[in-house]
Structures are given as C-alpha cells and as structure tokens.
Amino acid sequence: MRSVAPALLPVLRSRHQADLLTALLLHPEREYTQTELAELVSTPLTTVAREVERLVETAIVTKRRVGRAWLLRANERSPYVRPLTELIMLAFGPHVVIGEEFAGITGADAVAIYGSWAARYQGEPGPPPNDLDVLVIGRPARDDLYAAAERAEQRLSTPVNPTLCSPRRWRDSGDPFVRQLRSAPLIWIHGAADEVA
C-alpha cells in the first residue's frame, strides 16, 4: 500500500518516473532489463519503455545490448545524476519506504535505521550498503515486524534486517549493543530514543 505522494513528486513527471529513478539511481551498480524494472516498480512494460527512453535521451540512464535484451543502469558520468540521486534519496529513499511499511505496527514505540545505510545517509564515506538494518524498539508481534520487513525488502530490492529491542534494554546504558547503536548514526523514522517509555 502506497501512502500520500512525497513532496518532490510534483517536480517529477509521474510516480512511475519517480519509482524508476529510485530503482536505477539508488542502485547504480545494478543493470536491469525493462521487464525487470516493470516488475520491480509494478508498472506496465509499455509505460516503463516510454519512461526509460526519456531517461536515456537525457543521458541519465545508459543502455547496452546483451543478446536480445537491453540492460539499463544509472549513468554515473552524467552531471545530473549525483544531485538527482540526492533528491530521489530524500524523497523516495529507504527511510521513506521503511516509514511507510513499519507505520502502525502495534507495540513499536520507535523505529530507526542504523548501520552502513545510516552512515552513508549522514555523509560518512564508505562502500554502498548491501542491506538495510532496522531497529524497532518496543514489543510488537514478530509476525508484524517480519511482514513489514519483507514488504520493504520487495520494494527496495535490498535485504531488510529488523532488530527488535525491548524498551528496557534500550534504556540500559551498560548494554554493549545499545552503546554501539547510540554511538553510531541512527536515522529515526518513528518516535525517537527519548520517547521510549
């Protein structure tokens, strides 16, 4: 289920274009066929083909032929790709998807992203993240937690690893794992550390 369109959407031509740019720009190391992109963003193949041609014409996306298929990827040499990637990250990135998929989980007092993705998001140098680590503080049903992670993983095409932490453990300043989390970048999605009862 998609929520209300993010604020950047009026700047872009359509939600389809935004979803395609999100897939391509936030995974610049990957190549996709048009069919793979259509399945990934749940958009008709004809719409994807039309949007991809616009992106290729503007050199934001490159394509190369392998056999009968065209492989598409972000054109990292384009002067538009870096700033556009930053805008797409802010408006449609993993923190938005995690926020949408983990919203409303009963018993979740706070949700945050931690690990390498949070570090890259806050500007720390390093390789692109291979997965997304999500901290959930509270006492939600594990089935709800893993269902949300699975939905987010499908939308992001990236493994999503939820970690459950009880409020009591979160308040324990002597817990090594909690100390490590508190000393590293955390992107709060719902609630915040000081709101955990």
Side-chain angles (χ1 to χ4, degrees):
M1 180 175 93
R2 304 274 169 120
S3 67
V4 175
L8 185 60
L9 191 54
V11 174
L12 300 172
R13 288 181 14 79
S14 68
R15 181 68 194 221
H16 300 303
Q17 184 192 53
D19 289 343
L20 285 170
L21 285 169
T22 300
L24 290 161
L25 297 181
L26 299 188
H27 300 284
E29 73 289 351
R30 291 189 185 169
E31 291 183 303
Y32 300 92
T33 65
Q34 287 185 4
T35 302
E36 289 170 333
L37 282 171
E39 291 173 5
L40 180 65
V41 300
S42 302
T43 303
L45 186 56
T46 54
T47 302
V48 168
R50 188 172 52 248
E51 293 293 348
V52 161
E53 279 310 308
R54 288 184 178 110
L55 294 172
V56 169
E57 286 173 15
T58 59
I60 291 170
V61 170
T62 63
K63 67 178 183 177
R64 68 182 182 98
R65 192 173 194 104
V66 176
R68 296 175 62 192
W70 286 100
L71 295 180
L72 308 156
R73 72 182 307 161
N75 180 6
E76 295 182 275
R77 294 181 179 168
S78 168
Y80 301 110
V81 167
R82 185 168 181 238
L84 187 55
T85 299
E86 290 176 13
L87 285 172
I88 292 293
M89 175 70 81
L90 288 171
F92 302 98
H95 61 294
V96 175
V97 173
I98 295 301
E100 291 173 355
E101 297 301 345
F102 283 74
I105 293 180
T106 303
D109 299 329
V111 176
I113 298 174
Y114 69 99
S116 59
W117 189 88
R120 296 302 88 73
Y121 186 79
Q122 291 192 352
E124 291 185 13
N130 294 321
D131 60 3
L132 199 66
D133 299 308
V134 179
L135 172 68
V136 178
I137 302 171
R139 295 181 184 84
R142 288 190 184 270
D143 288 348
D144 293 344
L145 183 67
Y146 291 119
E150 187 174 314
R151 290 190 306 270
E153 189 168 304
Q154 288 173 349
R155 288 178 61 189
L156 294 167
S157 296
T158 299
V160 174
N161 309 308
T163 300
L164 184 57
C165 180
S166 71
R168 182 177 181 177
R169 183 178 185 193
W170 180 253
R171 290 189 304 269
D172 181 359
S173 59
D175 185 294
F177 178 66
V178 171
R179 272 202 324 265
Q180 178 186 355
L181 285 174
R182 288 176 183 261
S183 67
L186 280 168
I187 309 298
W188 292 100
I189 307 298
H190 295 297
D194 55 354
E195 296 176 18
V196 176

